[in-house]
Amino acid sequence: ECVEWEVTDGGGSEIMKWNGWGYSDSKFLFNKKGQAEFTGKRYRLSGMIIPGLKDWMEGTFGANLQHKTPATPLLTSSAVQPATLNKAFLEELKSTGIPFSHDAEDRVFRAHGHCLHEIFALREGKFGRVPDMVVWPNCHNDVVKIVELACKHNVCVIPYGGGTSVSSALECPPEETRSIVSLDTSQMNRILWIDEKNLTAHVEAGIVGQDLERLLNESGYCTGHEPDSMEFSSLGGWVATRASGMKKNIYGNIEDLVIHIRMVTPRGVIEKSCQGPRMSTGPDIHHFIMGSEGTLGVVTEVTMKIRPMPEYQKYGSVVFPNFEQGVACLREVAKQRCAPASIRLMDNEQFKFGHALKPQVSSIFTSFLDGLKTFYITKFKGFDPNRLCVATLLFEGDREKVLQHEKQVYDIAAKFGGLAAGEDNGQRGYMLTFVIAYLRDLGMDYYVIGESFETSVPWDRVLDICRNVKARIIQECKDKGVQFPPLSTCRVTQTYDTGACVYFYFAFNYRGLSDPVHVYEQVEHAAREEILANGGSLSHHHGVGKLRKEWMRDTVSNVGVGMLKSVKDYVDPDNIFGNRNLL
Amino acid sequence: MMFLSLQHRDPMLKKRDDFEDMLEERRNSSDLRYALRCYTPVLYKGLAPCKASMLKSMVLQSDQLHHVIGQVSRETGRAADDVQEEASAILEEMAHCLQLSTVRFFAFTLSKVFKTLFRSICVNEEGIQRLQQAIQEHPVVLLPSHRSYMDFLLMSYILYTYDIALPVIAAGMDFMGMKFVGEMLRMSGAFFIRRSFGGDKLYWSVFSEYVKTMLKNGFAPVEFFLEGTRSRTSKSLTPKLGLLNIVMDPYLKGEVYDINVVPVSISYERILEEALYAREMLGVPKPKESTSGLFKARKVLSEDYGSIHVYFGQPVSVRSLAQGRVNRCQFNLVPRHIPRRPSEEIQSFVNDSAYRLVRAQEENMVLKPWVLLASLLLQNHHQDQTAGQKRGMVLEELTAQAVWLRDMFREYGAFLHWPVVLLDICVGGQVKPGEPHSTVTPEEELLSQAVIVLSCASYRNQGLHVFLRPALLASAINAASSNLKQEVFNSFSFLRNMFSNEFILCPGATVQDFEEACYLLVKTGALQVTQQELLVTERGQRTVAFLTSMLDPFLQGYQVVCRFLCEEATENLTEKQFVPAVRKFIIKHLLAGRLRYTEVLSSDLQKNSLAALLRLGAVQKIKGRIKLSKVTYSSVFLLRTCVNLTYNC
């Protein structure tokens, strides 16, 4: 599922959508018969009919296929603000031979992440402040040159990796008067070396997740770092936001995977002098870099842990009579420290949603089997279809150990009333992770807007936070005049010793609202307040960006903010990296 | 300018529901069939209720109780099992065991009793519908006003009738004295709490966990009395915060999304305990609750207690109350099951909420014409007394005044229930508070007169909340040395502060109360407000005079307590001796004709004034003894102002 990507002229806009998620050839649509289908050839779901989706959309949102809200099809360059160029910078840049562009499309493409308001504006053909030019450094030294020039000519630099941010981190500060340069790392996408003795790989930071895995796989290795955005997000972006991968239970999160980081800052290059696996040398300077969200410099090269590719992978799923039992099971699994590579628990609404995305089955036998399963679970086992929920599992490792592990987890699940529900359901669950972002674009064609957001929370708070945040979303929608009941659902996506990561999905039909994005933002804001009031963190892995800045002080205390500020002031006194994220 | 913000609060615009008489159906159909009918209340989120025994085990297994048991065991050196057993025994003593059969028994007998005692029991059915809705959405707390033992039986009776989940009710331990009745009440949903358990951690823990478990699991609505005990005077009592703190806790800690609190106003035309209360306040102690006493009391069955109005108020969401007031993040850093003293922020939030809720109860109290008549008759009685006459009032005059007063009540937003045909009382010519029976000594005569006056006052008190703020302002205008706004405000503020143990006046809301009072008096044309001054208008004189004399008895009560403390209090006055001593002092002065108001004999008034003086620091309590504070400037000033103010009035 990978594409070679020619960049320099016109960005990826032929291959990638300029105003929606992912590849241009892949999208959901309703065909002439009114059936939903997913186009393209890239995914398992591609080319398939999804018979349940229409009913689900109509039933869940009150959406109607007659009421369309199509996006502006083409990018009109004239609607884009003319570039403010810094002549002297430009002149000197030209002499370095580093490719650059001030084409409107290139600039717009790098002016946003994937927050709802950003995509909504693009679909309406509205552009705010966009970068004035884009540069494509090819290696670490190119970046050093660009940053030096930027400092010399007082130009604002915003690093750009995969563009999958959901924290308004890529938005250009509208008050920025200097020329803004988007530093696109996509050309720095090579694996520089692999060290099989120490099991490390030295990689340029612009590489995107799927390329990194594919290239390592060719040598029989993997990093095992698989955030949901891995098709498009870059290594540098992971470091800059403290990313988390689906299989962190085996491989760890980005902070566990990184051995060495090279970052170019206005003060020069920061890096450690050796690759010792652990050091006691004062506060770990990596932790100033990880989560700095592009405010201190550009990550150019990273040495990462690698592992031999797993011998065996097995998906699985468990049905629980209710969400409470499911959470109790996950908690027990975490307590016994036997979590599989991935374990996720969907609530009832999400279970139904997953159900609606089942592709058309070709054989009568499969549909008969499905019917039988449903009958067994709801009638024979007495599960209430409006309360039951599903956990999806992914095991990895030696075949024998996987099977052993699998038994252990299913035994625990059984204690909490869980019934094994097959590999297929599990695998479909993970596949949906990649197509769900496409689905938002379909919703937006029919008056439905939505978004997901996440948090991490101690175990004893998981049920409370899920209930309260979902209820808050529903109440806020009602209070803000949303005419249709919203979709408000959650899943527990990661387990830790002391807590879990919880993901909320929220979407509603905005017909009848004059400013739907504003309503959306108010509801999301209220939901975040609710998360914080219930002991949840500001973010588990999406980061702060500009979207959640207002809560930073409460989150890390005055002194904490002061510490971070003083680092910023030392490293970047002229605010060259002026995306204004975080602080 | 400052009144603009009050426009939307115009009490005249308050919309209230209509009443239905629920006894009517009882008079027309079989009580037995009613008691045995199918009872299927809607439940919180459709959850099936758990058994009372299940509830107990949930409490005993709770993290909170485990923690406290461990703590107690470490502190006292007792074995944890031992402490656990004690906890179990406490729970056993406390827990209700709601049984439908007992409820049906009560439904049957209470139908019979109510039909004999009362003409009607009127309920706002829209309020019932709102309650039904509220119960499905969030856990519900019912907060009825408390004037009579009848209150909680009545509540359960109504909820049973309307097919609403029966509440569990926090009841004082005193009922447990009545063996049989106590158990009956327990089976109808009452649970029993000790009146005081100050430092007993374990008791508190079992108790709070029990209440919270019931609430969180939506077992049943939790019902308790904010005022803590029955008001003997028909004035609302200063709210007690303990239980309110407990029921708000699950919301503040995020254990439930929200909690609906429903204030319920129960207005009796005539309270069953009426005569008992007056005697009690004059020093005849209330009889200890006993089953035999209850049977002796059955003679009340032969009397007419008029009608009851029960108004289920708008459910109040605790979440919306707390919005912007409480930062719930304060529970993020300590496990929620470890009991902690509520922070100042939460204490003040709970306190303010409690006052708001009591005011919500007051607002929907139904006032009968008797309330107005009692107010007028009492004022007239006192004027007569000063003049040394015993005339009473001519009926026509009383009627005319009552109509005037009715209009004023209405303008102040009172919830009046005014019969279409006014006054069918057949009193020959003149009306006055009853004549005392023939007695021997002047003191006995005084006391039996006082019983009548206090009973009368309890009718008047039902309406006090309506014009409390304007009355404070009227008194303040009288007492202030000039009409300057600031001066009036100062004396308003002083009076308000002094009386905040007496009436429901939320601490810290002086400015709002002042504005509200000004707004009402201006609206009714009694007052003009200029940039600098507050001026009573020509037509306002009557209103102001009426309002001032409403507060007069209270002022005199506080004044006499101050004088007693200055003149007669000995070094060794204990709290216990205070009431009898001050009573003696007052009787002496009343007999000598130096005091105008017999009402000041009320021990309620005396205790409140002592509490106020303690609060204000004029008096101190040292080792159970009451002492004037060291002659500091402030305490002397305070007492003097207090005395002066009252003399002026």
Side-chain angles (χ1 to χ4, degrees):
Chain A
E1 301 193 350
C2 180
V3 208
E4 282 303 315
W5 180 5
E6 282 303 317
V7 196
T8 29
D9 55 324
S13 55
E14 272 108 62
I15 298 159
M16 308 286 292
K17 293 192 191 84
W18 69 274
N19 61 357
W21 179 262
Y23 301 110
S24 303
D25 56 18
S26 301
K27 64 176 184 180
F28 284 97
L29 51 77
F30 286 109
N31 62 23
K32 293 211 176 71
K33 284 189 209 155
Q35 289 173 311
E37 67 175 82
F38 191 56
T39 63
K41 294 196 177 86
R42 296 173 190 273
Y43 300 90
R44 260 187 68 191
L45 205 61
S46 297
M48 293 210 197
I49 300 285
I50 303 121
L53 189 56
K54 177 169 168 272
D55 286 348
W56 181 81
M57 268 186 65
E58 288 173 344
T60 309
F61 298 111
N64 187 323
L65 297 199
Q66 310 310 317
H67 301 294
K68 281 204 75 173
T69 41
T72 314
L74 292 171
L75 195 157
T76 8
S77 303
S78 56
V80 182
Q81 273 179 22
T84 317
L85 296 175
N86 183 316
K87 292 255 162 57
F89 174 79
L90 201 59
E91 285 310 311
E92 283 203 56
L93 183 70
K94 271 183 190 159
S95 70
T96 62
I98 299 169
F100 67 89
S101 154
H102 36 81
D103 174 81
E105 259 182 69
D106 290 339
R107 289 158 54 214
V108 167
F109 193 80
R110 285 156 190 82
H112 66 86
H114 282 272
C115 288
L116 175 84
H117 67 269
E118 294 172 314
I119 300 301
F120 198 92
L122 289 177
R123 287 172 59 95
E124 297 206 313
K126 289 182 186 151
F127 316 106
R129 179 80 163 96
V130 302
D132 298 300
M133 61 183 289
V134 184
V135 290
W136 284 273
N138 195 44
C139 61
H140 170 81
N141 286 336
D142 282 357
V143 175
V144 173
K145 283 181 209 155
I146 293 168
V147 173
E148 268 172 15
L149 289 180
C151 292
K152 186 172 164 196
H153 300 290
N154 195 21
V155 162
C156 173
V157 178
I158 297 183
Y160 181 89
T164 57
S165 151
V166 282
S167 60
S168 301
L170 289 167
E171 259 178 25
C172 298
E175 67 272 28
E176 181 59 70
T177 52
R178 298 173 294 179
S179 180
I180 299 179
V181 174
S182 176
L183 190 153
D184 185 322
T185 58
S186 59
Q187 303 309 297
M188 302 171 19
N189 57 1
R190 288 158 292 233
I191 296 178
L192 296 178
W193 45 255
I194 292 176
D195 177 347
E196 295 181 274
K197 291 216 175 61
N198 295 311
L199 286 180
T200 55
H202 191 66
V203 190
E204 288 184 311
I207 195 165
V208 296
Q210 60 172 323
D211 293 349
L212 176 61
E213 286 310 282
R214 182 175 44 79
L215 292 172
L216 284 174
N217 287 175
E218 284 169 11
S219 320
Y221 294 103
C222 67
T223 63
H225 185 67
E226 296 185 9
D228 289 358
S229 60
M230 70 173 290
E231 291 173 280
F232 310 110
S233 58
S234 69
L235 171 55
W238 300 339
V239 171
T241 55
R242 297 180 64 86
S244 170
M246 178 181 99
K247 300 193 289 193
K248 73 96 192 152
N249 292 335
I250 295 182
Y251 300 97
N253 287 316
I254 195 72
E255 67 273 19
D256 311 307
L257 287 165
V258 160
I259 295 296
H260 183 267
I261 303 173
R262 227 172 174 196
M263 178 165 80
V264 181
T265 78
R267 282 272 175 193
V269 174
I270 176 173
E271 63 184 320
K272 290 184 187 175
S273 67
C274 67
Q275 298 191 34
R278 181 178 188 276
M279 294 187 225
S280 173
T281 49
D284 191 338
I285 55 158
H286 282 173
H287 286 291
F288 289 122
I289 298 168
M290 284 189 283
S292 60
E293 303 192 356
T295 57
L296 300 178
V298 189
V299 176
T300 54
E301 289 171 17
V302 177
T303 310
M304 276 183 99
K305 289 182 193 172
I306 56 170
R307 299 287 305 161
M309 281 172 71
E311 175 193 309
Y312 187 64
Q313 267 200 338
K314 192 172 180 191
Y315 289 96
S317 64
V318 182
V319 184
F320 291 98
N322 55 49
F323 192 64
E324 290 77 7
Q325 296 278 75
V327 170
C329 172
L330 261 63
R331 203 282 161 265
E332 184 60 28
V333 166
K335 198 186 243 168
Q336 296 193 21
R337 291 198 171 167
C338 64
S342 169
I343 178 165
R344 287 176 171 177
L345 179 74
M346 298 186 263
D347 70 358
N348 182 262
E349 289 84 0
Q350 232 170 93
F351 160 74
K352 286 179 181 160
F353 169 50
H355 211 72
L357 282 173
K358 261 191 177 173
Q360 199 163 35
V361 282
S362 39
S363 83
I364 300 176
F365 181 66
T366 336
S367 81
F368 172 72
L369 264 187
D370 279 351
L372 211 60
K373 268 187 230 157
T374 318
F375 178 80
Y376 175 73
I377 287 172
T378 57
K379 295 289 172 331
F380 190 72
K381 281 287 174 182
F383 284 20
D384 178 350
N386 290 315
R387 297 196 66 205
L388 62 81
C389 72
V390 180
T392 57
L393 310 165
L394 171 61
F395 297 90
E396 243 182 53
D398 306 29
R399 202 185 140 80
E400 212 167 293
K401 276 192 190 146
V402 162
L403 296 178
Q404 221 180 328
H405 194 176
E406 193 187 19
K407 185 177 179 311
Q408 187 187 8
V409 172
Y410 282 121
D411 284 351
I412 294 173
K415 282 188 199 142
F416 296 90
L419 296 173
E423 282 182 65
D424 233 37
N425 281 319
Q427 190 170 12
R428 204 177 47 249
Y430 288 101
M431 183 263 305
L432 288 182
T433 303
F434 294 106
V435 299
I436 199 161
Y438 288 100
L439 207 62
R440 182 169 81 179
D441 292 337
L442 177 73
M444 287 171 92
D445 286 338
Y446 295 93
Y447 282 99
V448 175
I449 51 176
E451 181 95 279
S452 62
F453 43 88
E454 40 73 49
T455 185
S456 56
V457 64
W459 278 116
D460 73 314
R461 293 269 201 167
V462 171
L463 282 177
D464 291 333
I465 208 170
C466 291
R467 180 193 51 241
N468 292 349
V469 173
K470 288 198 288 182
R472 179 76 183 263
I473 288 170
I474 291 168
Q475 190 193 325
E476 291 288 333
C477 281
K478 205 168 137 197
D479 294 351
K480 303 281 180 297
V482 176
Q483 310 279 311
F484 303 86
L487 173 71
S488 173
T489 146
C490 72
R491 65 181 192 204
V492 180
T493 60
Q494 287 292 6
T495 63
Y496 292 87
D497 284 354
T498 63
C501 168
V502 180
Y503 235 91
F504 294 94
Y505 289 85
F506 148 50
F508 63 88
N509 182 340
Y510 66 83
R511 281 185 66 205
L513 296 181
S514 59
D515 191 351
V517 172
H518 182 62
V519 170
Y520 168 79
E521 283 171 342
Q522 285 179 309
V523 178
E524 190 191 336
H525 189 274
R528 183 57 64 181
E529 295 270 341
E530 192 64 31
I531 286 174
L532 298 173
N534 282 275
S537 65
L538 188 53
S539 173
H540 170 263
H541 61 272
H542 282 174
V544 175
K546 289 180 271 292
L547 193 61
R548 288 176 274 273
K549 250 165 95 159
E550 64 180 286
W551 292 289
M552 261 308 266
R553 197 170 286 277
D554 287 341
T555 300
V556 301
S557 82
N558 278 329
V559 180
V561 168
M563 274 184 174
L564 297 178
K565 270 220 167 89
S566 64
V567 170
K568 165 80 180 172
D569 288 346
Y570 171 75
V571 175
D572 184 16
D574 298 323
N575 196 29
I576 296 302
F577 288 89
N579 61 18
R580 306 199 189 207
N581 290 337
L582 210 57
L583 295 174
Chain B
M1 274 287 280
M2 75 175 175
F3 303 124
L4 279 178
S5 62
L6 282 164
Q7 292 293 346
H8 66 279
R9 273 205 256 156
D10 191 332
M12 282 285 272
L13 301 173
K14 223 170 279 162
K15 217 180 123 29
R16 291 180 176 115
D17 308 335
D18 296 330
F19 284 105
E20 293 288 328
D21 176 15
M22 61 181 282
L23 279 191
E24 201 175 298
E25 205 193 319
R26 291 280 44 75
R27 295 195 204 275
N28 298 325
S29 65
S30 154
D31 287 336
L32 192 62
R33 195 176 308 146
Y34 157 77
L36 295 176
R37 84 204 155 87
C38 176
Y39 167 72
T40 47
V42 292
L43 299 162
Y44 169 55
K45 295 203 170 142
L47 291 179
C50 60
K51 289 244 155 51
S53 57
M54 168 97 153
L55 207 60
K56 284 185 198 168
S57 71
M58 283 166 83
V59 174
L60 290 174
Q61 282 160 22
S62 68
D63 293 338
Q64 198 227 142
L65 196 53
H66 267 272
H67 176 85
V68 173
I69 286 172
Q71 209 178 18
V72 170
S73 142
R74 275 192 304 279
E75 280 168 12
T76 58
R78 288 164 58 195
D81 286 351
D82 195 28
V83 185
Q84 168 92 32
E85 241 162 69
E86 190 190 332
S88 184
I90 293 172
L91 188 57
E92 215 49 51
E93 176 195 86
M94 181 184 308
H96 71 83
C97 49
L98 188 60
Q99 278 182 348
L100 200 54
S101 54
T102 315
V103 172
R104 292 190 192 283
F105 166 79
F106 269 113
F108 180 75
T109 32
L110 285 178
S111 292
K112 300 284 180 212
V113 172
F114 286 161
K115 279 188 284 188
T116 341
L117 284 179
F118 305 110
R119 293 182 185 192
S120 60
I121 297 178
C122 299
V123 179
N124 64 327
E125 289 186 348
E126 281 162 76
I128 294 278
Q129 281 158 18
R130 285 192 299 258
L131 174 62
Q132 196 154 25
Q133 188 64 35
I135 284 177
Q136 292 171 66
E137 284 168 355
H138 305 295
V140 163
V141 176
L142 290 167
L143 297 178
S145 57
H146 203 12
R147 303 286 174 269
S148 167
Y149 278 143
M150 205 47 105
D151 292 331
F152 72 87
L153 290 175
L154 183 64
M155 282 290 288
S156 299
Y157 182 78
I158 294 171
L159 297 182
Y160 173 80
T161 306
Y162 287 100
D163 216 20
I164 286 177
L166 287 168
V168 288
I169 309 129
M173 209 62 148
D174 20 9
F175 278 111
M176 289 279 286
M178 300 189 271
K179 271 178 220 131
F180 175 69
V181 175
E183 284 316 303
M184 285 293 282
L185 293 178
R186 199 192 278 282
M187 286 188 280
S188 66
F191 63 95
F192 297 99
I193 40 179
R194 296 179 192 161
R195 278 270 173 224
S196 62
F197 41 89
D200 193 339
K201 245 187 251 178
L202 190 65
Y203 192 89
W204 174 261
S205 171
V206 174
F207 166 53
S208 63
E209 192 59 34
Y210 181 62
V211 175
K212 282 191 258 185
T213 307
M214 288 190 289
L215 199 65
K216 280 190 292 195
N217 295 292
F219 174 86
V222 172
E223 175 181 316
F224 66 91
F225 299 106
L226 257 182
E227 297 162 283
T229 181
R230 293 169 301 156
S231 164
R232 269 68 165 167
T233 57
S234 293
K235 279 187 291 133
S236 295
L237 303 177
T238 309
K240 303 277 180 296
L241 305 181
L243 256 162
L244 195 61
N245 252 312
I246 292 175
V247 298
M248 285 187 161
D249 193 64
Y251 163 72
L252 295 173
K253 287 185 175 161
E255 292 164 335
V256 293
Y257 179 71
D258 199 355
I259 291 168
N260 277 321
V261 184
V262 182
V264 183
S265 317
I266 308 178
S267 336
Y268 293 91
E269 191 159 8
R270 186 177 160 204
I271 294 165
L272 280 130
E273 295 97 324
E274 177 179 84
L276 279 177
Y277 288 159
R279 296 213 162 76
E280 190 188 321
M281 284 187 294
L282 290 167
V284 188
K286 73 164 179 176
K288 200 164 186 280
E289 280 81 7
S290 70
T291 309
S292 60
L294 189 81
F295 282 108
K296 277 180 210 145
R298 74 184 184 281
K299 72 164 196 292
V300 299
L301 283 178
S302 56
E303 292 192 41
D304 177 1
Y305 287 85
S307 55
I308 304 176
H309 284 84
V310 184
Y311 194 97
F312 288 82
Q314 201 70 40
V316 180
S317 137
V318 173
R319 174 175 279 268
S320 59
L321 279 178
Q323 182 73 39
R325 290 265 340 233
V326 180
N327 179 2
R328 288 181 286 154
C329 291
Q330 61 188 287
F331 298 104
N332 286 358
L333 297 178
V334 177
R336 289 173 295 169
H337 66 266
I338 297 178
R340 283 197 299 170
R341 253 187 83 78
S343 66
E344 248 169 59
E345 186 188 32
I346 287 176
Q347 281 178 34
S348 97
F349 161 67
V350 173
N351 190 45
D352 289 357
S353 307
Y355 275 90
R356 259 178 87 162
L357 291 163
V358 175
R359 277 198 79 183
Q361 287 175 354
E362 285 184 336
E363 266 174 19
N364 291 323
M365 284 288 197
V366 171
L367 304 179
K368 290 291 179 114
W370 318 125
V371 175
L372 278 58
L373 296 181
S375 312
L376 292 167
L377 285 170
L378 269 177
Q379 284 200 6
N380 179 266
H381 172 70
H382 291 131
Q383 278 158 14
D384 278 4
Q385 238 179 7
T386 337
Q389 300 161 318
K390 288 202 169 181
R391 283 186 317 157
M393 273 170 103
V394 182
L395 187 57
E396 286 80 51
E397 192 193 332
L398 180 62
T399 315
Q401 287 200 21
V403 170
W404 170 78
L405 190 55
R406 177 195 64 190
D407 295 344
M408 186 162 107
F409 260 67
R410 283 204 174 131
E411 291 209 81
Y412 287 176
F415 197 176
L416 276 179
H417 205 262
W418 204 260
V420 187
V421 187
L422 183 69
L423 295 188
D424 55 352
I425 41 168
C426 316
V427 184
Q430 298 192 335
V431 189
K432 57 187 171 185
E435 278 295 320
H437 307 291
S438 57
T439 40
V440 206
T441 66
E443 187 176 327
E444 275 170 346
E445 192 189 323
L446 177 68
L447 282 176
S448 58
Q449 162 105 43
V451 170
I452 294 160
V453 171
L454 284 190
S455 304
C456 231
S458 85
Y459 283 84
R460 176 205 59 199
N461 288 349
Q462 291 176 33
L464 266 183
H465 64 92
V466 175
F467 43 71
L468 172 62
R469 285 157 190 81
L472 283 171
L473 181 58
S475 302
I477 290 172
N478 264 0
S481 49
S482 76
N483 286 328
L484 285 177
K485 213 189 238 172
Q486 191 57 45
E487 295 245 7
V488 175
F489 177 78
N490 289 346
S491 83
F492 177 88
S493 171
F494 175 81
L495 282 171
R496 188 188 173 283
N497 193 11
M498 194 172 69
F499 279 136
S500 56
N501 292 70
E502 192 70 44
F503 308 113
I504 299 303
L505 292 162
C506 186
T510 313
V511 176
Q512 289 98 301
D513 282 348
F514 184 71
E515 284 182 9
E516 194 179 319
C518 288
Y519 171 72
L520 289 174
L521 284 179
V522 169
K523 193 187 85 148
T524 51
L527 193 70
Q528 270 184 334
V529 180
T530 66
Q531 201 76 327
Q532 299 289 329
E533 288 183 317
L534 299 179
L535 297 166
V536 178
T537 60
E538 195 62 40
R539 55 184 276 237
Q541 297 295 344
R542 185 182 179 189
T543 312
V544 168
F546 172 82
L547 291 173
T548 319
S549 44
M550 267 326 213
L551 280 189
D552 262 1
F554 296 96
L555 277 165
Q556 192 168 66
Y558 279 56
Q559 175 207 3
V560 78
V561 169
C562 289
R563 274 175 59 186
F564 164 76
L565 288 169
C566 292
E567 292 169 18
E568 301 231 332
T570 56
E571 270 299 289
N572 285 325
L573 183 69
T574 62
E575 226 183 327
K576 251 196 180 150
Q577 293 161 343
F578 168 76
V579 170
V582 83
R583 180 179 294 135
K584 221 173 109 192
F585 180 80
I586 290 172
I587 290 174
K588 192 175 76 191
H589 282 269
L590 273 171
L591 288 175
R594 282 193 293 268
L595 286 173
R596 187 194 272 188
Y597 301 105
T598 329
E599 235 187 297
V600 299
L601 272 170
S602 155
S603 63
D604 182 71
L605 187 60
Q606 294 150 11
K607 285 178 195 160
N608 287 339
S609 32
L610 179 63
L613 292 172
L614 279 166
R615 176 171 47 81
L616 296 172
V619 171
Q620 281 179 322
K621 206 157 63 177
I622 302 167
K623 290 181 186 158
R625 289 173 203 286
I626 298 162
K627 294 202 170 128
L628 285 182
S629 298
K630 286 248 166 59
V631 188
T632 57
Y633 174 75
S634 67
S635 68
V636 170
F637 170 77
L638 216 104
L639 283 176
R640 192 178 296 149
T641 328
C642 185
V643 171
N644 283 346
L645 262 177
T646 49
Y647 278 139
N648 283 343
C649 294

